[in-house]
Amino acid sequence: LKTAPPAQTFVYPFDVLRRRLQTGGAEAKAKYPNTIQGLWRLYREEGFLNGLYRGCSLNYLKTVPNTTVYLALFDVLKEYI
């Protein structure tokens, strides 16, 4: 669990770009033609924190309860696996 926050922080800009591409349709595909150009455009137009890491703090807040429930359920159900 110690590696989860750094890993989430590293991949979060890619997740932002993925969500933009999934929800933006053909317009987003033209705006962000590949990963590198997409990340660079997000950075240039919206900035480092507001563009690449928009919503990251909320992602951390949802991860803690999600992981807690997952591990608790695993402990309860592992004898049935």
Side-chain angles (χ1 to χ4, degrees), residues 50-80:
N50 289 332
L52 297 176
Y53 286 95
R54 178 182 301 268
C56 190
S57 58
L58 293 175
N59 189 49
Y60 290 140
L61 291 174
K62 77 170 184 167
T63 301
V64 172
N66 185 29
T67 304
T68 303
V69 169
Y70 177 79
L71 292 174
L73 281 174
F74 179 76
D75 282 343
V76 169
L77 298 175
K78 68 181 173 186
E79 64 189 59
Y80 300 109

Side-chain angles (χ1 to χ4, degrees), residues 20-21 23-33 41:
R20 298 273 178 105
L21 288 167
T23 60
E27 185 178 308
K29 288 183 185 2
K31 190 174 183 180
Y32 310 113
R41 186 165 187 164

Side-chain angles (χ1 to χ4, degrees), residues 6-7 12 16 18 22 26 33 40 43-44 47 50 57 67-68 70 76:
Y12 198 79
V16 169
R18 177 189 58 82
Q22 286 179 335
W40 181 245
Y43 171 73
R44 275 186 306 139
N50 289 332
S57 58
T67 304
T68 303
Y70 177 79
V76 169

